[in-house]
Amino acid sequence: MIGYICKYAPVEIFEAMGVEMHRIEPEVSNFNQADMRMHPNVCSFAKGVLEEVLAGDYEGVILTTCCDSIRRLYDVLKAQLPDRFIYMLDTPRITKDAGICLYESRIRKMIGEYEEFSGRHLDEEKFFALLKARKAEQEKRENAQGKEGSGLSVGIAGARANQNIRRILEERGVKVAFDLTCTGLDRKLLVEEDQVITGYVRGLLSQFPCMRMEEAAGRDQLIAEYADSADGIIYHTVQFCDNYAYEYAWLKGMLKRPMLLLETDYTRQSYGQILTRIEAFLESLGKGRKKGKISTGGKETMYVMGIDSGSTSTNAVIMDTNREIKAFAVVRTGAKSGQSAEKVLEMVLEQAKLKREDLARIVSTGYGRVSIPFADENVTEISCHGKGAHYFNPRVRTILDIGGQDSKAIHLNEKGEVTDFVMNDKCAAGTGRFLEMIARSLEIGIDELGPAALKSTEEIEITSMCSVFAESEVISLIAQNKEKTDIANGVCRSIANKSYSLMKRVGLEPEYMMTGGVAKNPGVVRAVEEKIGGRLYICPEPEIVGAAGAAIYALEGME
Amino acid sequence: MFLVDKYINYVNQEVKKEPEKGWNWMVRGFQANKLKTRLLPNSGISKGYQKLESMMMSLVADSLGHEGSYVWGNIFAPEEIFQCFDRRTLSIECLSCYFSGYHLEDYFIDCAQNAGLAPTLCSYHKTFVGAVESGALKAPSYAVTTSLSCDGNLNTFRYLEKKIGAPFTFLDVPYDCDPESVDYLAKQLREMTGQLEKVFGRPFDEERLRRIIAIENETRRELLRFYELEKEHEYPGEIISQLYLMMGTHLLMGTEEFRDLVKFMVEDIQTYPRFTGKRILWVHLLPFYQETLRAYFNGSRKYQVIASDIVLDYAEELDESDPFRALAVKTIRNIYNGSYAGKAEALGAFAQAMEADAVIHFCHWGCKQASGGSILLKEKMKELGIPMLILDGDGIDRRNSHDGQIKTRLEAFLEILDEEDGNAVGAAVSAKKEEA
Ligand code: SF4
Ligand code: SF4
Ligand code: SF4
């Protein structure tokens, strides 16, 4: 078996030689080998391929000169596996005749080297027959493809798409309108009897150009045309791949359809993050929601509950049909989010003087939303925060939510619908966890940090963007005998900088609201207000905004 | 000094408020600095490096001061061809460094990231794109880039073409080096020249290109002589001197002024005493602002950065009789092109030829091509018995460099080097104190 990764790889040639070809789609739990043998900052896909190939049983791997990360992947694989057929196929970026001619000769050279390596032989007639058969299959498939279905359709563009994206969409009955990533399109087979290989190579190079191709200059127009056939677009990038972000930056200003920027890293653990973003995106596109059962427990007034299972706190809100909050509760999330959910349920019922049967419908949200057994439905925290914010203050257009483990910015339209959002849940900087780390270093309580910052007299800049570095920067500031108040304020400002760039990415339209536990920290609030040059609306219990939103979803689910 | 800081601060604020005006102040500042480097050269370093600094300051100040006198390029662009049209090539990597003279890199980088560019992208590219996004930097009449040595090139230039209409030529540098590849690139160079005739409205003079290449060959020979002499003599510089030298060998190669400077350096170094300290071969970029590195290397007579791969990335003679193929060969055979095994081999041979005591590889944040190969290089150096240190940081954005980490690693490494000599441990630390 030979592995490959690129749509420009001449897969069919190897198949005609009787080789089993396998497209490498890594899903790994760590990058131990890659971090040791390459560098942590290399593209996660390339790192994943390294892990996969070192662990797997490949006869060889065909790589193309795709990008810097793949070039280094080749170097490391070659050094690690000198006896295998690790081949770097130089793929021209120019797809005009000069490129085709060069690519053909490169491919012929590769065939020669593989023949020598394996003792196999390429029979051009066999190859021609295989191409013809493939082409026929392809045409049949295209004809069989059904016409427009009903329901939502989403297109995928950007860097090679993690297969989970497609799966998540399909599982939710969403049609994938197009997939323009490295791996998505059906390859273009040109079958020319008199010049089999030349024709084949021309076909390879005339596929939808990826970003490394000179021709990619016209991609934006093509994508715009495709975009018309979908309700929304998921623009996918890979962690530490910078090539596609350029296109995203450009498309963002030109496409009319809603677009979700989704970054993945080819680890198993990232599935939850991918899921939340895609679900929130589908919710914002208005995917039809199922209506639920109604059980008023025989009482006149009907109650619903929203429960927000976050990483640091689990919050619940009970609401009546008039959208009045009847009761709420907040508990710290323990090691098992299910237990905290039970606990908060008990507390909030007690507060409201109600019983479990009085709740007609329960909607869960937050990262633990799927593990709450008593919920009737789950909605992402993005949509719930949007709903909740609009409930507390309908003039709000930009929400900044800073929780314990993540932070996010959400843009709402005047109807309170989510039109854009960005999330940071991958790094601690800019989150509540970071504040806790710093408070510990400063030896003050987390609740004292904000008030301390307000007393600051000297401006201190915390420059490091990574929380680990920032923490040691703080430690050296302490060693320099800087005032705790000034350091605390420096930290608040560093969080404000991070928050500002999140908010900026969704448009920074006033009015602004801040939610989540960190909204109770006056130091951060002041720093963010200074940075955005505007006031932040903060409701009395900023931690329950998501749960309140979930409760409204529950009400809407019954209307 | 106070006045300079004030000016820098003023320009910094002005660019953020009114980018267009701010830009004019930036250019004026470069021009003032050019005078300063002439009248009041940096006294801690050797004459040649002083002149070099001043020459590069002039290149930037004079070019930016005359719109239309320059094109944007990347560091591997064939500037020789542009010389034939009397245009200077200003590489975006270098311009970004100059912008950071006004401490604007973080602001520009944030502008680029807010526009949607990846935070993990190389900071040279982010700074440059950010300068455009901020409204400070305007499009030149033309630009040129190569696929060497990183992905950012095509992407950045394409993005800027769309954004502000900066037309450019893209040169696809093949990975392999065979005659077909040379033809492929030579043909692109020829086509570009035809295009430039139209853009600049004047004919191309191939004879002139030959003369430029002849001077280039001469310069390279002189540079190799300089390296030879560096084995004997000390020649104090700063870490930024290597960057200036890189600008010379990439943006002014083939000019008489740069050749004469290298010749001067060859003469000048012979007046310096014998060098007995540690000779470091530096691989990849040098974070010129970084406190610890400055403290250890700038003006040091104990640890000297004797050469860097970014200065001499191609060491052969060019064939003047066939200038386009010669330039194509130069680009394809560049050590930044092709497999890393080839590069490691070349750097190993270079380190041995230079009698380097140690190698330091700097992994610049966002540079996949360099970072991704660092371990392979370390293995190669281990084979050759040359100690090598890998440092992580950022060549321009201070926020991605962590001084504490760099300091610990560097000091430990220098201690090991000194110990090899039988010197007492801690010599490194005391050396630092002497210089401080
Ligand atoms: S980006 Fe292009 S060259 Fe790279 S793997 Fe995808 S299709 Fe191949
Ligand atoms: S995701 Fe980006 S960096 Fe990674 S292999 Fe593809 S093009 Fe290269
Ligand atoms: S540092 Fe690396 S990524 Fe940045 S411009 Fe240089 S080669 Fe490219």
Side-chain angles (χ1 to χ4, degrees):
Chain A
M1 179 178 65
I2 289 188
Y4 72 98
I5 57 167
C6 173
K7 70 182 177 200
Y8 295 110
V11 177
E12 288 79 4
I13 286 187
F14 286 93
E15 286 172 338
M17 290 195 264
V19 184
E20 183 197 338
M21 297 299 286
H22 176 70
R23 192 172 76 203
I24 305 174
E25 283 291 340
E27 192 168 33
V28 300
S29 52
N30 62 62
F31 294 122
N32 290 346
Q33 295 283 340
D35 289 349
M36 208 161 69
R37 303 188 194 284
M38 280 205 281
H39 192 276
N41 290 6
V42 165
C43 153
S44 298
F45 171 75
K47 289 193 290 187
V49 173
L50 182 73
E51 301 287 335
E52 160 97 22
V53 173
L54 289 183
D57 195 20
Y58 291 90
E59 177 197 359
V61 181
I62 306 299
L63 300 170
T64 49
T65 42
C66 162
C67 59
D68 297 339
S69 291
I70 298 297
R71 276 161 54 206
R72 293 301 164 250
L73 171 66
Y74 165 77
D75 295 318
V76 173
L77 279 177
K78 185 91 187 160
Q80 291 296 317
L81 305 169
D83 304 328
R84 312 256 186 106
F85 192 70
I86 310 292
Y87 199 87
M88 182 58 127
L89 180 61
D90 183 17
T91 312
R93 291 177 179 79
I94 294 174
T95 51
K96 289 178 232 127
D97 283 343
I100 296 169
C101 179
L102 190 68
Y103 202 31
E104 181 179 346
S105 90
R106 298 266 199 260
I107 289 177
R108 286 189 187 273
K109 187 163 155 236
M110 179 185 71
I111 297 170
E113 288 187 30
Y114 183 66
E115 286 177 337
E116 198 167 308
F117 173 86
S118 66
R120 291 178 202 256
H121 177 68
L122 176 70
D123 177 345
E124 284 207 21
E125 260 165 49
K126 247 195 190 156
F127 176 52
F128 178 64
L130 181 128
L131 284 182
K132 256 196 349 207
R134 283 287 159 80
K135 177 121 189 156
E137 276 167 36
Q138 222 177 43
E139 277 162 7
K140 220 159 98 197
R141 251 200 327 268
E142 274 161 22
N143 293 336
Q145 246 165 33
K147 284 267 163 267
E148 303 292 288
S150 58
L152 213 56
S153 75
V154 167
I156 311 172
R160 56 177 50 255
N162 188 308
Q163 55 205 356
N164 287 330
I165 300 175
R166 238 197 143 95
R167 198 178 313 141
I168 291 171
L169 290 174
E170 282 164 358
E171 277 168 10
R172 276 152 194 77
V174 176
K175 186 177 148 222
V176 178
F178 54 85
D179 180 347
L180 302 178
T181 65
C182 301
T183 45
L185 289 180
D186 242 353
R187 60 203 296 132
K188 208 161 176 175
L189 294 175
L190 288 188
V191 191
E192 294 172 21
E193 191 157 12
D194 50 337
Q195 37 171 351
V196 187
I197 294 195
T198 313
Y200 173 71
V201 171
R202 182 174 304 128
L204 282 181
L205 287 183
S206 61
Q207 298 178 86
F208 187 83
C210 68
M211 277 298 272
R212 75 180 283 286
M213 294 309 209
E214 189 198 29
E215 242 197 318
R219 275 172 61 104
D220 53 347
Q221 291 306 326
L222 291 168
I223 293 178
E225 276 167 36
Y226 272 104
D228 287 339
S229 68
D231 297 303
I233 294 140
I234 294 180
Y235 197 92
H236 179 245
T237 61
V238 173
Q239 190 188 29
F240 290 111
C241 165
D242 316 319
N243 304 326
Y244 283 87
Y246 284 92
E247 184 171 77
Y248 168 74
W250 177 247
L251 287 177
K252 199 173 62 154
M254 98 176 234
L255 286 189
K256 286 175 230 85
R257 303 278 167 187
M259 182 160 63
L260 168 72
L261 177 66
L262 180 67
E263 185 189 274
T264 67
D265 69 358
Y266 284 90
T267 60
R268 273 183 210 115
Q269 306 84 286
S270 65
Y271 182 80
Q273 296 173 351
I274 301 177
L275 189 69
T276 301
R277 286 167 171 78
I278 296 182
E279 285 191 335
F281 184 58
L282 295 177
E283 284 159 9
S284 76
L285 292 179
K287 180 178 151 238
R289 295 176 43 246
K290 42 188 189 306
K291 303 273 146 126
K293 59 172 195 306
I294 301 175
S295 61
T296 52
K299 291 211 173 165
E300 302 282 279
T301 3
M302 187 178 71
Y303 297 100
V304 294
M305 182 173 105
I307 174 164
D308 178 358
S309 165
S311 55
T312 39
S313 72
T314 305
N315 321 311
V317 165
I318 291 182
M319 215 176 249
D320 65 21
T321 35
N322 299 322
R323 301 199 169 200
E324 293 292 337
I325 294 180
K326 171 98 175 152
F328 69 87
V330 174
V331 304
R332 295 291 118 205
T333 304
K336 286 207 174 108
S337 58
Q339 279 174 7
S340 316
E342 288 293 343
K343 200 164 134 205
V344 84
L345 173 69
E346 210 175 285
M347 274 173 66
V348 75
L349 284 173
E350 200 185 298
Q351 287 245 345
K353 301 200 174 50
L354 292 174
K355 291 200 194 55
R356 173 74 183 77
E357 312 82 75
D358 299 327
L359 299 175
R361 190 169 170 79
I362 299 175
V363 169
S364 63
T365 185
Y367 98 112
R369 66 188 178 281
V370 286
S371 15
I372 295 176
F374 52 78
D376 299 298
E377 188 192 352
N378 71 73
V379 179
T380 64
E381 54 269 39
I382 313 277
S383 305
C384 288
H385 266 88
K387 229 2 135 202
H390 188 72
Y391 166 80
F392 284 108
N393 181 351
R395 288 186 307 278
V396 166
R397 296 291 174 272
T398 308
I399 307 162
L400 170 67
D401 175 68
I402 307 186
Q405 307 280 341
D406 66 3
S407 52
K408 47 187 171 284
I410 303 169
H411 180 261
L412 301 179
N413 63 14
E414 62 288 352
K415 284 183 267 172
E417 294 161 350
V418 174
T419 55
D420 199 3
F421 66 90
V422 285
M423 260 181 116
N424 158 39
D425 50 9
K426 295 186 175 127
C427 100
T431 69
R433 184 156 43 124
F434 175 57
L435 282 175
E436 273 170 32
M437 276 160 64
I438 300 297
R440 224 175 304 128
S441 310
L442 290 176
E443 294 175 331
I444 58 178
I446 177 74
D447 301 332
E448 298 165 59
L449 192 117
L454 295 182
K455 295 199 199 101
S456 152
T457 51
E458 187 198 348
E459 263 196 25
I460 292 183
E461 188 111 30
I462 312 281
T463 51
S464 298
M465 288 187 279
C466 157
S467 61
V468 181
F469 284 180
E471 194 183 13
S472 50
E473 213 179 316
V474 165
I475 291 169
S476 61
L477 287 169
I478 298 173
Q480 290 164 32
N481 259 328
K482 293 282 180 192
E483 290 296 329
K484 280 184 185 179
T485 52
D486 298 331
I487 300 177
N489 196 36
V491 168
C492 292
R493 294 202 356 245
S494 112
I495 295 222
N497 280 339
K498 278 243 161 199
S499 308
Y500 172 74
S501 62
L502 281 183
M503 293 171 82
K504 186 110 202 239
R505 281 173 56 194
V506 299
L508 209 63
E509 185 188 342
E511 298 183 6
Y512 313 107
M513 175 170 185
M514 186 166 167
T515 63
V518 177
K520 288 183 176 165
N521 179 318
V524 173
V525 171
R526 181 179 76 175
V528 173
E529 287 183 334
E530 277 170 9
K531 189 83 202 172
I532 60 176
R535 302 281 304 167
L536 285 169
Y537 167 76
I538 293 163
C539 62
E541 292 297 332
E543 279 175 292
I544 64 160
V545 175
I552 298 172
Y553 268 109
L555 283 174
E556 288 177 354
M558 299 190 310
E559 277 156 10
Chain B
M1 229 28 224
F2 182 63
L3 218 114
V4 175
D5 285 342
K6 255 193 147 160
Y7 187 79
I8 289 177
N9 205 13
Y10 172 75
V11 175
N12 180 297
Q13 294 306 317
E14 206 58 22
V15 168
K16 293 175 185 169
K17 274 197 312 238
E18 275 191 81
E20 281 185 37
K21 266 205 201 147
W23 173 251
N24 294 334
W25 286 114
M26 277 172 81
V27 174
R28 252 169 266 166
F30 288 139
Q31 282 157 349
N33 207 9
K34 166 185 141 186
L35 283 182
K36 194 201 125 220
T37 54
R38 288 219 184 125
L39 302 176
L40 289 166
N42 188 343
S43 57
I45 60 174
S46 51
K47 261 254 173 57
Y49 285 140
Q50 288 174 354
K51 284 174 182 268
L52 179 68
E53 174 169 8
S54 153
M55 183 179 293
M56 296 312 144
M57 205 60 238
S58 308
L59 168 67
V60 171
D62 297 347
S63 305
L64 293 181
H66 294 94
E67 249 175 74
S69 69
Y70 64 94
V71 299
W72 286 349
N74 76 337
I75 202 78
F76 300 101
E79 48 91 29
E80 296 90 340
I81 293 180
F82 287 84
Q83 277 186 48
C84 297
F85 291 97
D86 292 311
R87 295 294 191 288
R88 291 281 182 234
T89 309
L90 292 184
S91 96
I92 62 168
E93 299 93 336
C94 298
L95 282 177
S96 293
C97 289
Y98 277 85
F99 299 160
S100 78
Y102 295 104
H103 306 310
L104 279 164
E105 72 287 351
D106 52 352
Y107 174 68
F108 286 157
I109 286 170
D110 289 347
C111 285
Q113 286 177 190
N114 287 337
L117 257 57
T120 52
L121 174 67
C122 163
S123 344
Y124 293 93
H125 286 267
K126 279 190 298 192
T127 303
F128 196 78
V129 172
V132 171
E133 289 282 349
S134 75
L137 190 57
K138 294 279 170 297
S141 54
Y142 209 74
V144 54
T145 192
T146 61
S147 57
L148 184 68
S149 70
C150 64
D151 303 332
N153 294 313
L154 174 57
N155 286 320
T156 292
F157 282 78
R158 184 159 55 205
Y159 182 78
L160 295 178
E161 181 181 42
K162 285 196 186 297
K163 191 94 201 175
I164 52 166
F168 75 104
T169 293
F170 168 66
L171 298 166
D172 181 22
V173 181
Y175 181 84
D176 296 334
C177 187
D178 45 25
E180 267 183 299
S181 304
V182 175
D183 288 340
Y184 175 76
L185 182 54
K187 192 164 160 253
Q188 295 175 56
L189 290 170
R190 228 174 238 292
E191 281 170 7
M192 176 180 81
T193 310
Q195 171 71 15
L196 295 181
E197 288 184 326
K198 283 186 219 137
V199 173
F200 300 129
R202 53 191 276 189
F204 167 70
D205 175 0
E206 192 162 327
E207 214 26 65
R208 184 159 174 200
L209 184 58
R210 279 188 238 274
R211 284 199 302 275
I212 290 168
I213 290 183
I215 297 177
E216 172 163 353
N217 281 331
E218 202 187 333
T219 313
R220 205 171 270 116
R221 282 194 295 270
E222 292 293 330
L223 190 63
L224 290 171
R225 267 187 73 198
F226 175 75
Y227 281 151
E228 210 40 55
L229 289 164
E230 261 194 311
K231 288 188 207 164
E232 283 299 316
H233 302 273
E234 65 172 39
Y235 205 59
E238 298 188 329
I239 45 177
I240 201 169
S241 307
Q242 294 294 327
L243 289 175
Y244 290 135
L245 210 47
M246 171 197 72
M247 284 178 70
T249 55
H250 290 81
L251 307 181
L252 291 177
M253 202 59 168
T255 62
E256 286 169 8
E257 54 166 344
F258 184 62
R259 177 203 55 198
D260 295 345
L261 173 73
V262 180
K263 276 188 160 169
F264 171 82
M265 286 169 66
V266 167
E267 297 306 318
D268 194 41
I269 191 174
Q270 300 182 42
T271 65
Y272 279 80
R274 216 183 135 67
F275 180 60
T276 53
K278 294 293 172 197
R279 312 155 49 72
I280 314 279
L281 169 65
W282 195 280
V283 180
H284 208 217
L285 295 158
L286 305 100
F288 50 89
Y289 62 83
Q290 216 287 322
E291 307 124 68
T292 298
L293 295 175
R294 287 168 66 141
Y296 274 96
F297 294 111
N298 283 8
S300 168
R301 287 179 165 74
K302 191 154 176 9
Y303 306 106
Q304 221 157 276
V305 176
I306 46 157
S308 166
D309 67 326
I310 58 175
V311 175
L312 193 70
D313 43 26
Y314 178 75
E316 316 280 310
E317 289 272 308
L318 270 61
D319 177 5
E320 296 159 38
S321 67
D322 195 350
F324 287 105
R325 284 184 64 93
L327 289 176
V329 170
K330 171 187 167 189
T331 317
I332 295 175
R333 288 250 182 91
N334 188 297
I335 53 166
Y336 279 86
N337 196 33
S339 76
Y340 204 89
K343 177 166 180 171
E345 201 60 49
L347 285 179
F350 189 45
Q352 283 178 318
M354 290 295 295
E355 295 166 11
D357 295 300
V359 172
I360 297 183
H361 183 294
F362 185 70
C363 291
H364 163 68
W365 169 259
C367 184
K368 279 79 185 167
Q369 63 87 10
S371 307
S374 52
I375 304 291
L376 292 172
L377 188 64
K378 189 156 183 173
E379 279 163 11
K380 180 80 211 174
M381 292 301 166
K382 200 166 166 195
E383 228 173 77
L384 301 176
I386 303 173
M388 175 171 143
L389 170 70
I390 298 178
L391 290 176
D392 283 291
D394 195 309
I396 175 165
D397 187 353
R398 291 151 226 250
R399 298 172 297 181
N400 286 331
S401 285
H402 186 233
D403 187 54
Q405 198 194 57
I406 291 178
K407 196 168 170 166
T408 313
R409 291 199 215 169
L410 181 74
E411 285 179 355
F413 184 68
L414 295 179
E415 277 167 18
I416 294 169
L417 286 187
D418 288 334
E419 220 173 331
E420 273 181 352
D421 272 0
N423 286 357
V425 180
V429 185
S430 57
K432 203 204 148 213
K433 279 190 193 129
E434 268 166 40
E435 275 148 29

